[in-house]
Amino acid sequence: MKDNKSSSQQSNLLDGIAVFVQVVNSKSFVKAADKMSHSTSYISKEVSKLETRLGVRLLHRTTRTLSLTPEGEVYFLQCQQIIEDAMQVEN
């Protein structure tokens, strides 16, 4: 029998990745929300949940700017590759 905790962790493994990548690519929570047809609040909460789950800050946020932390840069490159690989599998 599988451990419920590990099953839960596996199902949450990819949560927030697509949102995070879209925010970085858009350079904006608002633009990412528009592109993903979600509210800005939803997008912001998804990135915050991802950061909490990972235990690391991925983005520097101010009212005017958005930039990656050093950890965010590494994570972004890895997430981008995961999304590209998943798209290739689909095609």
Side-chain angles (χ1 to χ4, degrees), residues 24-41:
V24 174
N25 286 333
S26 300
K27 297 179 176 72
S28 162
F29 282 88
V30 173
K31 290 177 185 174
D34 287 343
K35 287 184 181 180
M36 299 186 86
S37 300
H38 285 292
S39 68
T40 305
S41 175

PDB file of all heavy atoms in Angstrom, residues 24-41:
ATOM      1  N   VAL A  24       7.004  34.814 -15.300  1.00  0.00           N
ATOM      2  CA  VAL A  24       8.359  35.219 -15.686  1.00  0.00           C
ATOM      3  C   VAL A  24       8.386  35.640 -17.149  1.00  0.00           C
ATOM      4  O   VAL A  24       8.948  36.693 -17.487  1.00  0.00           O
ATOM      5  CB  VAL A  24       9.379  34.099 -15.406  1.00  0.00           C
ATOM      6  CG1 VAL A  24      10.747  34.465 -15.947  1.00  0.00           C
ATOM      7  CG2 VAL A  24       9.445  33.796 -13.911  1.00  0.00           C
ATOM      8  N   ASN A  25       7.794  34.837 -18.014  1.00  0.00           N
ATOM      9  CA  ASN A  25       7.783  35.169 -19.442  1.00  0.00           C
ATOM     10  C   ASN A  25       7.033  36.466 -19.733  1.00  0.00           C
ATOM     11  O   ASN A  25       7.415  37.227 -20.620  1.00  0.00           O
ATOM     12  CB  ASN A  25       7.197  34.025 -20.269  1.00  0.00           C
ATOM     13  CG  ASN A  25       8.145  32.860 -20.385  1.00  0.00           C
ATOM     14  OD1 ASN A  25       9.364  33.008 -20.304  1.00  0.00           O
ATOM     15  ND2 ASN A  25       7.606  31.671 -20.561  1.00  0.00           N
ATOM     16  N   SER A  26       5.973  36.713 -18.981  1.00  0.00           N
ATOM     17  CA  SER A  26       5.165  37.925 -19.169  1.00  0.00           C
ATOM     18  C   SER A  26       5.763  39.142 -18.476  1.00  0.00           C
ATOM     19  O   SER A  26       5.362  40.268 -18.758  1.00  0.00           O
ATOM     20  CB  SER A  26       3.756  37.707 -18.619  1.00  0.00           C
ATOM     21  OG  SER A  26       3.117  36.649 -19.281  1.00  0.00           O
ATOM     22  N   LYS A  27       6.643  38.875 -17.516  1.00  0.00           N
ATOM     23  CA  LYS A  27       7.252  39.938 -16.703  1.00  0.00           C
ATOM     24  C   LYS A  27       6.204  40.720 -15.907  1.00  0.00           C
ATOM     25  O   LYS A  27       6.409  41.884 -15.561  1.00  0.00           O
ATOM     26  CB  LYS A  27       8.076  40.889 -17.564  1.00  0.00           C
ATOM     27  CG  LYS A  27       9.248  40.230 -18.253  1.00  0.00           C
ATOM     28  CD  LYS A  27       9.999  41.217 -19.114  1.00  0.00           C
ATOM     29  CE  LYS A  27      11.228  40.641 -19.741  1.00  0.00           C
ATOM     30  NZ  LYS A  27      11.019  39.706 -20.804  1.00  0.00           N
ATOM     31  N   SER A  28       5.074  40.032 -15.626  1.00  0.00           N
ATOM     32  CA  SER A  28       3.982  40.721 -14.946  1.00  0.00           C
ATOM     33  C   SER A  28       2.935  39.713 -14.473  1.00  0.00           C
ATOM     34  O   SER A  28       2.582  38.800 -15.218  1.00  0.00           O
ATOM     35  CB  SER A  28       3.335  41.714 -15.915  1.00  0.00           C
ATOM     36  OG  SER A  28       2.069  42.110 -15.492  1.00  0.00           O
ATOM     37  N   PHE A  29       2.445  39.921 -13.256  1.00  0.00           N
ATOM     38  CA  PHE A  29       1.347  39.097 -12.759  1.00  0.00           C
ATOM     39  C   PHE A  29       0.067  39.396 -13.540  1.00  0.00           C
ATOM     40  O   PHE A  29      -0.697  38.494 -13.850  1.00  0.00           O
ATOM     41  CB  PHE A  29       1.115  39.337 -11.260  1.00  0.00           C
ATOM     42  CG  PHE A  29       2.103  38.645 -10.376  1.00  0.00           C
ATOM     43  CD1 PHE A  29       3.301  39.247 -10.034  1.00  0.00           C
ATOM     44  CD2 PHE A  29       1.845  37.381  -9.885  1.00  0.00           C
ATOM     45  CE1 PHE A  29       4.214  38.608  -9.220  1.00  0.00           C
ATOM     46  CE2 PHE A  29       2.752  36.727  -9.068  1.00  0.00           C
ATOM     47  CZ  PHE A  29       3.945  37.348  -8.741  1.00  0.00           C
ATOM     48  N   VAL A  30      -0.158  40.664 -13.859  1.00  0.00           N
ATOM     49  CA  VAL A  30      -1.369  41.070 -14.569  1.00  0.00           C
ATOM     50  C   VAL A  30      -1.394  40.461 -15.972  1.00  0.00           C
ATOM     51  O   VAL A  30      -2.403  39.887 -16.397  1.00  0.00           O
ATOM     52  CB  VAL A  30      -1.482  42.612 -14.636  1.00  0.00           C
ATOM     53  CG1 VAL A  30      -2.642  43.033 -15.515  1.00  0.00           C
ATOM     54  CG2 VAL A  30      -1.626  43.195 -13.235  1.00  0.00           C
ATOM     55  N   LYS A  31      -0.284  40.565 -16.695  1.00  0.00           N
ATOM     56  CA  LYS A  31      -0.224  40.003 -18.049  1.00  0.00           C
ATOM     57  C   LYS A  31      -0.343  38.486 -18.025  1.00  0.00           C
ATOM     58  O   LYS A  31      -0.993  37.892 -18.887  1.00  0.00           O
ATOM     59  CB  LYS A  31       1.063  40.435 -18.751  1.00  0.00           C
ATOM     60  CG  LYS A  31       1.078  41.902 -19.104  1.00  0.00           C
ATOM     61  CD  LYS A  31       2.394  42.305 -19.733  1.00  0.00           C
ATOM     62  CE  LYS A  31       2.438  43.803 -19.965  1.00  0.00           C
ATOM     63  NZ  LYS A  31       3.770  44.232 -20.445  1.00  0.00           N
ATOM     64  N   ALA A  32       0.279  37.848 -17.039  1.00  0.00           N
ATOM     65  CA  ALA A  32       0.167  36.393 -16.919  1.00  0.00           C
ATOM     66  C   ALA A  32      -1.280  35.999 -16.645  1.00  0.00           C
ATOM     67  O   ALA A  32      -1.784  35.032 -17.212  1.00  0.00           O
ATOM     68  CB  ALA A  32       1.083  35.876 -15.809  1.00  0.00           C
ATOM     69  N   ALA A  33      -1.949  36.752 -15.791  1.00  0.00           N
ATOM     70  CA  ALA A  33      -3.361  36.479 -15.482  1.00  0.00           C
ATOM     71  C   ALA A  33      -4.217  36.590 -16.731  1.00  0.00           C
ATOM     72  O   ALA A  33      -5.073  35.740 -16.990  1.00  0.00           O
ATOM     73  CB  ALA A  33      -3.852  37.437 -14.399  1.00  0.00           C
ATOM     74  N   ASP A  34      -3.974  37.616 -17.513  1.00  0.00           N
ATOM     75  CA  ASP A  34      -4.725  37.796 -18.764  1.00  0.00           C
ATOM     76  C   ASP A  34      -4.491  36.629 -19.711  1.00  0.00           C
ATOM     77  O   ASP A  34      -5.438  36.079 -20.277  1.00  0.00           O
ATOM     78  CB  ASP A  34      -4.328  39.102 -19.459  1.00  0.00           C
ATOM     79  CG  ASP A  34      -4.876  40.337 -18.759  1.00  0.00           C
ATOM     80  OD1 ASP A  34      -5.813  40.198 -17.935  1.00  0.00           O
ATOM     81  OD2 ASP A  34      -4.366  41.436 -19.038  1.00  0.00           O
ATOM     82  N   LYS A  35      -3.237  36.249 -19.880  1.00  0.00           N
ATOM     83  CA  LYS A  35      -2.908  35.161 -20.803  1.00  0.00           C
ATOM     84  C   LYS A  35      -3.466  33.821 -20.354  1.00  0.00           C
ATOM     85  O   LYS A  35      -3.792  32.970 -21.171  1.00  0.00           O
ATOM     86  CB  LYS A  35      -1.390  35.063 -20.984  1.00  0.00           C
ATOM     87  CG  LYS A  35      -0.820  36.172 -21.822  1.00  0.00           C
ATOM     88  CD  LYS A  35       0.661  36.003 -22.053  1.00  0.00           C
ATOM     89  CE  LYS A  35       1.170  37.161 -22.892  1.00  0.00           C
ATOM     90  NZ  LYS A  35       2.610  37.063 -23.148  1.00  0.00           N
ATOM     91  N   MET A  36      -3.567  33.639 -19.027  1.00  0.00           N
ATOM     92  CA  MET A  36      -4.035  32.357 -18.500  1.00  0.00           C
ATOM     93  C   MET A  36      -5.515  32.377 -18.134  1.00  0.00           C
ATOM     94  O   MET A  36      -6.044  31.390 -17.623  1.00  0.00           O
ATOM     95  CB  MET A  36      -3.185  31.944 -17.291  1.00  0.00           C
ATOM     96  CG  MET A  36      -1.714  31.752 -17.643  1.00  0.00           C
ATOM     97  SD  MET A  36      -0.744  31.103 -16.279  1.00  0.00           S
ATOM     98  CE  MET A  36      -1.032  29.341 -16.534  1.00  0.00           C
ATOM     99  N   SER A  37      -6.174  33.503 -18.385  1.00  0.00           N
ATOM    100  CA  SER A  37      -7.607  33.665 -18.074  1.00  0.00           C
ATOM    101  C   SER A  37      -7.923  33.390 -16.612  1.00  0.00           C
ATOM    102  O   SER A  37      -8.889  32.697 -16.272  1.00  0.00           O
ATOM    103  CB  SER A  37      -8.453  32.771 -18.983  1.00  0.00           C
ATOM    104  OG  SER A  37      -8.248  33.092 -20.332  1.00  0.00           O
ATOM    105  N   HIS A  38      -7.093  33.947 -15.747  1.00  0.00           N
ATOM    106  CA  HIS A  38      -7.303  33.873 -14.300  1.00  0.00           C
ATOM    107  C   HIS A  38      -7.207  35.283 -13.739  1.00  0.00           C
ATOM    108  O   HIS A  38      -6.724  36.196 -14.405  1.00  0.00           O
ATOM    109  CB  HIS A  38      -6.239  33.002 -13.622  1.00  0.00           C
ATOM    110  CG  HIS A  38      -6.418  31.539 -13.819  1.00  0.00           C
ATOM    111  ND1 HIS A  38      -7.456  30.824 -13.270  1.00  0.00           N
ATOM    112  CD2 HIS A  38      -5.664  30.635 -14.497  1.00  0.00           C
ATOM    113  CE1 HIS A  38      -7.346  29.553 -13.603  1.00  0.00           C
ATOM    114  NE2 HIS A  38      -6.269  29.409 -14.359  1.00  0.00           N
ATOM    115  N   SER A  39      -7.598  35.434 -12.505  1.00  0.00           N
ATOM    116  CA  SER A  39      -7.446  36.727 -11.840  1.00  0.00           C
ATOM    117  C   SER A  39      -5.985  36.915 -11.423  1.00  0.00           C
ATOM    118  O   SER A  39      -5.240  35.952 -11.238  1.00  0.00           O
ATOM    119  CB  SER A  39      -8.343  36.805 -10.604  1.00  0.00           C
ATOM    120  OG  SER A  39      -7.875  35.911  -9.606  1.00  0.00           O
ATOM    121  N   THR A  40      -5.608  38.161 -11.258  1.00  0.00           N
ATOM    122  CA  THR A  40      -4.265  38.464 -10.773  1.00  0.00           C
ATOM    123  C   THR A  40      -4.059  37.880  -9.384  1.00  0.00           C
ATOM    124  O   THR A  40      -2.981  37.374  -9.064  1.00  0.00           O
ATOM    125  CB  THR A  40      -4.030  39.992 -10.752  1.00  0.00           C
ATOM    126  OG1 THR A  40      -4.297  40.505 -12.050  1.00  0.00           O
ATOM    127  CG2 THR A  40      -2.610  40.332 -10.354  1.00  0.00           C
ATOM    128  N   SER A  41      -5.096  37.915  -8.573  1.00  0.00           N
ATOM    129  CA  SER A  41      -5.025  37.356  -7.222  1.00  0.00           C
ATOM    130  C   SER A  41      -4.714  35.861  -7.263  1.00  0.00           C
ATOM    131  O   SER A  41      -3.877  35.376  -6.499  1.00  0.00           O
ATOM    132  CB  SER A  41      -6.346  37.601  -6.495  1.00  0.00           C
ATOM    133  OG  SER A  41      -6.353  36.971  -5.244  1.00  0.00           O
TER     134      SER A  41
END
